Each structure stands twice: as C-alpha cells, then as structure tokens.
Amino acid sequence: MSSFLPFALPDIGEEEIQEVVASLKSGWLTTGPKTKQFENDFAAFIGGGVETIAVNSATAGLHLALEAIGIGAGDEVITTPYTFTATAEVIRYLGAHPVFVDIDPTTFNIDSAKIEAAITSRTKAIIPVHLGGLACEMDAILSLAEKHGLKIVEDAAHALPTTYRGKLIGSLTSDITVFSFYATKTITTGEGGMIVTRHPDLAKRCRTMRLHGISRDVFDRYTSSKPSWHYEVIAPGFKYNLTDIASSIGIHQLRKARLFQAKRAAMAEMYTQAFAGLPLTPPPAAPAGDMHAWHLYVIRLQPGIIDRAEFISKMADKGIGCSVHFIPLHLHPYWAETYRLKPTDFPAALENYERAVSLPIYTKMAKDDQERVIAAVREILA
Ligand SMILES: *Cc1c(COP(=O)(O)O)cnc(C)c1O
C-alpha cells in the first residue's frame, strides 16, 4: 500500500523560503516592512479601499474586532454552533455571551431565517461564519443588522477567496472581516490572520490594540522622523502583531491564492462527479457565478448505511486521513454547561455533524492521491 495521505498539508514554495531567509538576514524579525507589504498586498487583493491589520491569528483578529465595535460585559452576540470554538470564545473574552442560531441543513451556514427570533435588547452583533468557504446569505444578514442596529463581524477563516454575489468576502458592507492563515487554511503564514475593514476608526482601534494600546506601532517608532523613543499608551492592549518572518510567507501565499482556489475547485468538482449515485450528500457548490474557497469538502453519509466513526476508521485503514468539521459547540462541555444547551437544541447542526466527514482537499495532493480517496470511498460505500 502507498504511504499515508494526510488530511491536510500546507503548500510552501521556494519563494516563501527565500523571502523568510531574506527577512532573517535583514534584521527585521518582528512587525516591519514585510508586514506592511503583506497588509498592502492584501488590501489590494480585496479591493474597494479597505484597510488591513495583520495579526498573529484569526482568533486574535476576532477578539480585536469585537473590542473595536464595542462589545462588552453582558452583551449578546449571535453566531452559529457549527464552527470552531474560536468564533465563540472571543465573545467570552469580553464578558459577552454567544447566542447560537441553528444552521441551514444544506449549506452548514447559519440559517438567516432563524436569526431575527434570537435578537434581544442586549444583542449587539452577528458573527456569520462562511463554513468551508461557502458564503453565508449576507444580504439577509446585512439587512437584519441594519434593521436592528447590529454590527457584523464576518469570520472568514475559511473564505479566501470566496465571493458573494460577485464580490469578494472582505469587500462587503460588514463592519469587520477576519481571515485566518493557520497552517491548514487556504493560504498560510504558519500562524496568522488579517483584519479587514472599510472604517478608518475601527482600523485605528484594531491597530492600537494589536500592540499594547500603543498609539504608534513599532515600525513607525523606528522609521518616523519624530524622536524614536517616544510613545503613548492609551489603553491596556494586547500582543497580537504578526512577525515579518510570517508575513514573508504570506506575501507569496497571497499571490497564489487564486491558483490554489482554482485547484481546489477542480478537486471538489471531481469528487462530486465521482460520488454520484453513492449513499452520501456532497457539499453544495457556490451559486452560479460565485466562488467557493473550498477550504473543506464535507460529505454527509446517508443514514443507515455505515456509522461515521467506522467510515473514518476504514478510510484510515486504506491510508487516508479524514476529519470532522465541526463538533458543534453546544456538544462541548464548556458551552453546554455554561449555557445549559442540549444536543437537540440545534437539530440541523446535530444531524449534519453526526453524518459529516471531511475528505482531504489541498493543493499538494496529486491526481493519484485524489483517485485513491475516491476509490476508497467507493469501496467502503459500495
Ligand atoms: C481556524 C478557525 C479560526 C481561528 O483561526 P486561527 O488563525 O487559528 O486563530 C476561527 N474560526 C474558524 C471557523 C476557523 O476554522
């Protein structure tokens, strides 16, 4: 049998390696010129004159975003249970409470028709998560936010590049959008993230709070013509800046983002065609004319055929790594106990989770690798 095919692998080229070496030799290790360049390149990629703030993770970015829009103790923030815990934990960092709304069973995204019933006088914001890289129903979510005076912070950890009605996620009229560059995401800096906003005041707050609440960042401090020793602390900020070493990787990853997306989209199409007739539901494609980032390819096994754990274990026996996205938050002890949630409180999330399997989909996979995955799925479900 051929070697084990991991569930995910980053795709790092010689360009990234050379740029990291150049950074190391330059003497700029922390946030400096490469990070500025990465931020500028990212803003140009998204378009529409957005501002960008590089951070050392999307979790940090989401925390800064919620802080910047003024989330505080006792506030409520609406989000989905079908996500990684980072989406909701940042709400708790600020003493606020997540209010979960069930998903649309087809798309895995928050069910926009169920959001309004969850809004109370304490609701301050909504965090939609574009699961796997498929855009949420943003028109409905944005108009609800406008109607009720709520802020929107998009968790776009999976959504580079994703479009909604022809526009890249990050360029919509939400308050803030946050991307992740974790090792397995669609582009990576090892660990990292990017805050994107059209609002200069929010950008300024995020930039200040990213580095200890200091009113000028380190780069300005050493390059500005004013005395370099002087700075002012205006708030108890955080240590969330991205290093130039990481940004060196990001600069080159970003240049390949569209190429990577095209490869993953072709793989998704190949999977979906190959699985026709098997007892599984493939993930939905993006609506015609729109782009799905295909960070994840999540199949749902039809009930009564095979137990999900047994399917994953049989795939492992055949040398293929699978995963599950996600164990819904309301099934984890912390969230269940803190908010007294029962598994059946979010039936669509529960039902999708119990049958969901994420198959490997990444640009380092060869055609042979994908054919191996397809053959394994066929053998197990035939
Ligand atoms: C990965 C992920 C995050 C957190 O990203 P980090 O960069 O690892 O902090 C947030 N939300 C979702 C949905 C994710 O998958």
Side-chain angles (χ1 to χ4, degrees), residues 57-59 62 83-84 86-87 129 155 157-158 180-182 185 191-192 326:
S57 72
T59 307
L62 289 165
T83 185
F84 185 56
T87 311
V129 180
D155 180 338
H158 303 175
S180 173
F181 311 132
Y182 179 69
K185 299 281 160 75
E191 299 277 4
F326 283 94

Side-chain angles (χ1 to χ4, degrees), residues 181-197:
F181 311 132
Y182 179 69
T184 60
K185 299 281 160 75
T186 58
I187 73 166
T188 186
T189 58
E191 299 277 4
M194 191 70 78
I195 298 171
V196 176
T197 179

Side-chain angles (χ1 to χ4, degrees), residues 76-247:
E76 292 176 0
V77 178
I78 291 174
T79 192
T80 167
Y82 214 93
T83 185
F84 185 56
T85 195
T87 311
E89 80 191 21
V90 293
I91 300 167
R92 297 295 300 127
Y93 289 0
L94 294 157
H97 303 291
V99 172
F100 299 111
V101 169
D102 206 2
I103 56 167
D104 174 321
T106 308
T107 63
F108 293 91
N109 284 332
I110 191 166
D111 187 341
S112 57
K114 295 203 170 117
I115 292 175
E116 196 153 32
I119 296 173
T120 73
S121 58
R122 286 199 291 256
T123 309
K124 293 285 158 53
I126 306 173
I127 309 180
V129 180
H130 308 293
L131 199 107
L134 178 67
C136 292
E137 286 171 13
M138 291 307 296
D139 278 351
I141 294 170
L142 286 161
S143 66
L144 269 177
E146 189 170 342
K147 182 175 163 195
H148 295 275
L150 309 178
K151 306 281 187 192
I152 296 200
V153 172
E154 293 175 63
D155 180 338
H158 303 175
L160 188 79
T162 289
T163 63
Y164 177 75
R165 296 189 192 240
K167 287 187 175 157
L168 277 175
I169 291 299
S171 71
L172 308 183
T173 57
S174 308
D175 295 275
I176 300 183
T177 302
V178 181
F179 295 91
S180 173
F181 311 132
Y182 179 69
T184 60
K185 299 281 160 75
T186 58
I187 73 166
T188 186
T189 58
E191 299 277 4
M194 191 70 78
I195 298 171
V196 176
T197 179
R198 301 173 307 127
H199 302 284
D201 53 328
L202 296 179
K204 192 174 172 201
R205 182 69 182 178
C206 290
R207 216 167 269 130
T208 301
M209 295 305 278
R210 166 179 71 174
L211 201 68
H212 303 297
I214 290 173
S215 62
R216 282 188 293 159
D217 66 24
V218 171
F219 185 55
D220 290 343
R221 199 137 66 84
Y222 288 97
T223 56
S224 113
S225 53
K226 291 178 207 131
S228 69
W229 56 268
H230 188 260
Y231 63 89
E232 289 178 323
V233 174
I234 58 164
F238 307 100
K239 185 69 202 294
Y240 283 168
N241 55 307
L242 190 67
T243 67
D244 264 28
I245 300 169
S247 294

Side-chain angles (χ1 to χ4, degrees), residues 261-378:
Q261 187 279 336
K263 286 189 181 178
R264 286 190 305 269
M267 295 176 79
E269 200 178 321
M270 183 163 153
Y271 272 146
T272 298
Q273 281 179 12
F275 297 153
L278 292 181
L280 62 81
T281 308
D290 268 322
M291 199 185 289
H292 188 318
W294 290 113
H295 165 55
L296 301 174
Y297 187 91
V298 185
I299 60 168
R300 279 151 288 182
L301 302 170
Q302 271 172 30
I305 305 286
I306 184 171
D307 176 68
R308 187 259 310 271
E310 190 187 344
F311 177 89
I312 292 175
S313 131
K314 284 190 168 174
M315 289 291 282
D317 291 345
K318 292 175 184 293
I320 294 159
C322 293
S323 191
V324 174
H325 294 89
F326 283 94
I327 301 169
L329 299 185
H330 72 293
L331 301 185
H332 289 285
Y334 173 73
W335 299 111
E337 287 160 19
T338 305
Y339 295 104
R340 299 173 190 279
L341 302 171
K342 298 188 299 297
T344 50
D345 284 352
F346 307 102
L350 180 66
E351 220 254 334
N352 268 20
Y353 156 68
E354 284 177 336
R355 304 191 288 121
V357 180
S358 301
L359 299 180
I361 183 164
Y362 52 96
T363 55
K364 289 284 271 186
M365 279 172 70
K367 196 153 189 286
D368 286 3
D369 295 326
Q370 199 184 359
E371 280 163 0
R372 261 178 73 198
V373 179
I374 291 167
V377 171
R378 280 219 182 97

